[in-house]
Amino acid sequence: MLPQATPTLETDFTHAQPSRATLRQAYLLMRTADEMARLYEENKAVTAKYVHATARGHEAIQLAAASILGPQDYAAPYYRDDALLLGMGLSPYELMLQLLAKRDDPFSGGRTYYSHPSLRRAGVPTIPHQSSATGMQAIPATGMAHGIKYLESQGLNALMPDPRDFYENNQPIPGLYGLQASELAAPLVLCSIGDGAMTEGEVSEALQMAALHQLPIIYLVQDNEWGISATGREMRSMNAYEFAAGFKGLHRLQFDGADFLASYAGMREAADYVRQRQGPVLVHARCPLLGHHTSGVRREWYRGDNLAHHTTQDPLPRFHQQLLELDFTEQELQALGEEARATVQADYQRALAAPNPDPATFADHEFAPPVVTQEAGERSPAGADKALMVDAALHAVDDILREFPEALFYGQDVGGELGGVFREAALLAKKYGDARVFNTPIQEAYIVGSTAGMSAVGAKAIVEIQFADYIWPALNQLVEELSKSCYLSNGQFPVQSLIRVPIGAYGGGGPYHSGSVESTLLTIRGIKVVYPSNAADMKGLMRAAFLDPNPVVMLEHKGLYWSKVPGTEDAKTVEPSAGYVIPLGKAAIAQEASPEKLASGETCVVVTYGMGVHWAKTASRQFAGQVEILDLRTLNPLDWEAVQAAVQRHGKALVLTEEPLLNSFAESLAGRIQRHCFRQLDAPVFTLGAANLPAIALNVELEKQMLPNPDKVAAALRELLAY
């Protein structure tokens, strides 16, 4: 049976009464959701071709949640929220277009699952892309709220959608969204989530930040006591309401989510609390699960007698009886039911006949078009001093913060007095304030995932992962939320996100501060990966990465920051002027071979990046004029044209990396060169990287044995040139 609430935890919501028009619309939409679920089951041979879930049992709380939302708000629904989407103004036809993966699916153009919405539409709350919403959505949703609070604190509300755009003479335009026009009020975020997902660690990170920063967000937890086939008793030691008590500053409400009147009143109270900027709210709403978990996991396989118990809590007959007691007639309700049935049947036939996506569009929207397409600004201003890479990075971020008020910078230890463990953000917090440059908890998932929410509301985040070895907890967000957003939203929601990651070995850093991770990152489609080797490139690429509308990971080698490692003196360069940019995806020739040696066929090219540029420069002194060094600078997108041209020029190539070589980006690139440049090659493509070991040892002598160095590069060059 459904859990019974403790009476002392219930709240009196009798002060908030819906209008008769709202009640009528709610009943119509509840019947619509019921008819959709019924139709899907009756036509399961067609509708279950792709996986879907329905709202059966959850309709009351979902429609009540929709009633609080206005066009100024943001929503993060979960995969069972089709009634919520109906309440926000979406038609059954539009949801069915997604159900059947049709071309005109307004969310994704047929690319993602049913009830996985992404929507920018006048008069409707903004619904940014999110993953399958089993807990991961809490972080991007909290990032939205974080971005809203930041923009409000800076007086930058104009960067967010203006709700007045959707009102005529300060009166709501009827029928555009929801059950009831929300007041012209401060925006909020609604994050909808199932109780099973509340056990995810990333949800705790989100709740922690919402409470810590008092963010304008409602977490709506729909608790039906089931995961897939696992019960609440198996999955958790407490429900979401009890769990939320541990987060000081997170207001809690609890009520019967199968009762529309109680749910309407409760959601109104939650919205009022957040709109008055009193802090975040967690709503725990108990619901029955009346349908299948999904179309692929059917209720008869695992529910047993539990389904009969849940059926007694069905919100539809309960609401029907409540409306009769509120002087609605049986004939009136019957007419609404018939209207719902007719709409659903007609919309289904239209959706069946709708066109499928054009297969030729399958690759559209991997990335949003770049802003920076050519080098601009002064790379070597007259009279400018040489700068260390770490200072060039600091100055680049300083320039961005000064020029773009919507920009903010956060991560572990980058705020306050320290300004980063490498002093790469020194004094920025003092200069721009704690709202713009601030410390986070040890929450790599939040640091990365929140940038998706920031981007959706118009804030532009620069964030830092303290060491590359610590990026692993963030990969879930990077893969599921950031990298897929542009593609799966059909271009509606590219994520502007600049993620700085200090990387590489630098002499005794040991196994948790020395790693290289680029090959792992480069398996993630939909993100860009940048890797500068000197101060001028650092500054130009940093600005281009910030201006790019896509997620960019900027790898910054710790051993190059201060040019203290022997052989890295060239990493220190004249500092470019403010505004200098280098387009992403453009390699540079870091060292040319002599024309004479090239003409006599005595040369080769080293294709590399980061520290490899400096190893190659040192090693090449033994082969005067014989070695060209191509600095890739950006690993994705790769400047393949420059690689091909260099290999064809010389006929011999060495691909050099700091990573362990086996199955690396370097080996992949070498294979690609071999395949496409075979006729121009005078030798096999050589590769050199670190030893294939799981970690870098702390002892510096052991570290040297594992890593490449100029002597190892020279040996490889000697063999290659003599081939």
Side-chain angles (χ1 to χ4, degrees):
M1 294 181 64
L2 289 173
Q4 298 300 310
T6 305
T8 56
L9 298 181
E10 297 288 353
T11 307
D12 179 11
F13 299 118
T14 56
H15 70 284
Q17 294 296 327
S19 68
R20 187 176 182 87
T22 295
L23 292 170
R24 185 182 186 281
Q25 181 74 350
Y27 185 78
L28 173 63
L29 293 178
M30 197 177 292
R31 290 294 298 264
T32 300
D34 177 59
E35 291 294 340
M36 289 168 62
R38 191 188 317 277
L39 180 143
Y40 295 168
E41 184 64 14
E42 291 172 352
N43 296 274
K44 60 178 179 280
V46 175
T47 62
K49 179 179 180 180
Y50 306 110
V51 176
H52 67 270
T54 69
R56 280 302 286 126
H58 292 235
E59 300 95 334
I61 182 57
Q62 290 181 20
L63 293 171
S67 75
I68 68 168
L69 296 174
Q72 72 273 30
D73 295 323
Y74 295 81
Y78 92 120
Y79 58 82
R80 198 174 299 285
D81 277 346
D82 52 3
L84 175 65
L85 296 172
L86 292 173
M88 290 169 61
L90 279 298
S91 68
Y93 173 66
E94 290 175 305
L95 300 185
M96 291 171 185
L97 289 174
Q98 189 176 45
L99 173 80
L100 301 170
K102 296 291 189 172
R103 180 193 69 190
D104 297 327
D105 155 30
F107 307 131
S108 74
R111 295 181 174 190
T112 195
Y113 291 117
Y114 181 74
S115 199
H116 286 55
S118 308
L119 192 66
R120 292 188 189 272
R121 179 180 292 176
V124 177
T126 301
I127 311 174
H129 165 269
Q130 62 184 21
S131 67
S132 272
T134 51
M136 293 87 77
Q137 79 274 27
I139 284 178
T142 307
M144 294 180 222
H146 207 154
I148 289 169
K149 182 165 184 177
Y150 168 70
L151 293 172
E152 289 178 344
S153 75
Q154 304 297 305
L156 299 173
N157 305 59
L159 294 177
M160 293 184 283
D162 187 345
R164 288 170 293 189
D165 292 343
F166 313 120
Y167 285 73
E168 295 175 347
N169 300 319
N170 290 324
Q171 295 299 314
I173 301 172
L176 286 180
Y177 60 89
L179 300 173
Q180 174 173 309
S182 181
E183 293 86 352
L184 189 57
L188 60 76
V189 178
L190 176 72
C191 176
S192 179
I193 191 169
D195 195 71
M198 289 296 294
T199 57
E200 284 276 6
E202 292 181 7
V203 174
S204 294
E205 292 191 21
L207 298 180
Q208 181 74 250
M209 290 298 283
L212 181 64
H213 290 275
Q214 289 294 284
L215 302 179
I217 185 168
I218 299 171
Y219 300 98
L220 170 58
V221 184
Q222 300 177 51
D223 184 1
N224 60 32
E225 281 284 310
W226 285 94
I228 296 180
S229 64
T231 65
R233 292 189 305 275
E234 296 173 275
M235 294 187 296
R236 65 195 188 209
S237 61
M238 65 194 79
N239 66 31
Y241 183 87
E242 296 161 334
F243 178 66
F247 296 91
K248 185 178 180 180
L250 178 61
H251 187 56
R252 298 179 298 153
L253 298 173
Q254 181 171 239
F255 47 80
D256 184 352
D259 183 325
F260 177 77
L261 296 180
S263 297
Y264 177 88
M267 293 307 299
R268 294 285 296 177
E269 178 165 314
D272 289 345
Y273 186 92
V274 175
R275 292 199 197 281
Q276 293 166 14
R277 295 301 186 251
Q278 294 178 272
V281 175
L282 182 137
V283 170
H284 177 236
R286 302 178 309 281
C287 309
L289 178 62
L290 301 181
H292 308 293
H293 169 75
T294 64
S295 56
V297 182
R298 301 183 62 78
R299 60 193 180 190
E300 58 266 23
W301 296 348
Y302 66 98
R303 293 292 296 280
D305 293 338
N306 175 267
L307 183 60
H309 293 306
H310 276 232
T311 301
T312 64
Q313 299 297 314
D314 189 337
L316 182 53
R318 294 175 67 185
F319 192 31
H320 187 102
Q321 183 59 38
Q322 288 173 330
L323 293 180
L324 293 176
E325 294 169 3
L326 291 170
D327 296 327
F328 283 77
T329 66
E330 188 66 52
Q331 292 80 6
E332 186 176 2
L333 299 182
Q334 182 68 22
L336 290 172
E338 292 172 358
E339 179 184 344
R341 184 176 304 110
T343 297
V344 168
Q345 292 290 342
D347 282 5
Y348 179 60
Q349 295 304 317
R350 287 178 62 206
L352 285 174
N356 287 311
D358 180 355
T361 66
F362 83 102
D364 291 356
H365 306 298
E366 178 189 3
F367 290 117
V371 172
V372 177
T373 57
Q374 59 185 3
E375 187 174 3
E378 291 186 85
R379 183 177 177 93
S380 300
D385 294 329
K386 284 192 172 184
L388 296 169
M389 272 187 68
V390 70
D391 291 335
L394 170 64
H395 299 160
V397 174
D398 192 1
D399 290 343
I400 289 167
L401 293 173
R402 182 173 59 253
E403 186 175 347
F404 299 95
E406 67 272 29
L408 62 165
F409 180 38
Y410 55 95
Q412 295 166 28
D413 300 304
V414 303
E417 296 291 333
L418 185 60
V421 294
F422 300 103
R423 304 292 287 157
E424 71 283 7
L427 303 180
L428 291 181
K430 286 185 174 294
K431 188 171 184 178
Y432 294 103
D434 292 339
R436 296 193 70 189
V437 181
F438 57 89
N439 293 325
T440 65
I442 301 175
Q443 294 185 344
E444 286 82 8
Y446 185 86
I447 291 168
V448 169
S450 61
T451 66
M454 293 275 185
S455 177
V457 305
K460 298 178 180 178
I462 305 170
V463 299
E464 181 179 302
I465 299 296
Q466 199 166 76
F467 289 89
D469 305 81
Y470 301 163
I471 201 170
W472 310 118
L475 284 194
N476 192 26
Q477 292 290 320
L478 187 62
V479 173
E480 300 298 341
E481 307 299 342
L482 276 69
S483 75
K484 293 180 171 62
S485 184
C486 186
Y487 183 75
L488 289 182
S489 69
N490 222 17
Q492 294 181 88
F493 289 96
V495 175
Q496 180 174 36
S497 173
L498 172 50
I499 303 164
R500 298 181 60 186
V501 184
I503 192 169
Y506 59 109
Y512 306 113
H513 301 83
S514 307
S516 293
V517 299
E518 57 265 33
S519 288
T520 299
L521 296 175
L522 290 166
T523 64
I524 304 169
R525 304 271 63 84
I527 67 170
K528 298 186 178 184
V529 180
V530 178
Y531 204 141
S533 68
N534 60 71
D537 287 351
M538 172 72 85
K539 193 166 188 181
L541 291 168
M542 184 80 77
R543 184 177 179 87
F546 172 78
L547 294 173
D548 201 280
N550 303 287
V552 181
V553 179
M554 189 154 191
L555 303 176
E556 305 173 17
H557 200 293
K558 303 183 293 291
L560 300 179
Y561 266 157
W562 296 282
S563 290
K564 290 182 178 179
V565 177
T568 63
E569 296 79 13
D570 285 352
K572 185 177 180 180
T573 68
V574 171
E575 181 171 358
S577 61
Y580 174 68
V581 288
I582 301 169
L584 305 185
K586 295 295 183 183
I589 297 175
Q591 177 177 289
E592 294 182 337
S594 74
E596 296 78 16
K597 296 288 187 181
L598 179 61
S600 62
E602 300 177 70
T603 61
C604 69
V605 61
V606 179
V607 181
T608 189
Y609 53 92
M611 185 64 82
V613 172
H614 303 279
W615 288 330
K617 281 187 175 183
T618 301
S620 68
R621 292 172 190 158
Q622 301 180 39
F623 312 96
Q626 292 184 270
V627 179
E628 176 180 314
I629 301 171
L630 184 69
D631 183 353
L632 293 176
R633 301 198 297 192
T634 301
L635 308 185
N636 188 39
L638 176 70
D639 191 348
W640 174 240
E641 291 183 2
V643 173
Q644 276 188 304
V647 173
Q648 290 169 1
R649 244 187 331 269
H650 301 282
K652 296 179 179 180
L654 166 65
V655 183
L656 173 62
T657 180
E658 184 171 325
E659 287 192 293
L661 195 57
L662 185 65
N663 300 326
S664 64
F665 162 70
E667 282 200 332
S668 173
L669 180 55
R672 187 174 176 185
I673 293 170
Q674 198 96 349
R675 166 67 178 84
H676 293 280
C677 302
F678 182 77
R679 292 180 182 275
Q680 291 80 33
L681 288 172
D682 297 321
V685 179
F686 279 33
T687 56
L688 180 63
N692 298 312
L693 296 170
I696 295 176
L698 180 64
N699 181 276
V700 291
E701 296 304 320
L702 295 176
E703 177 188 279
K704 289 177 182 178
Q705 288 298 310
M706 179 177 180
L707 295 175
N709 59 41
D711 291 339
K712 294 178 183 179
V713 175
L717 289 174
R718 186 172 294 108
E719 181 182 357
L720 177 60
L721 288 166
Y723 198 91

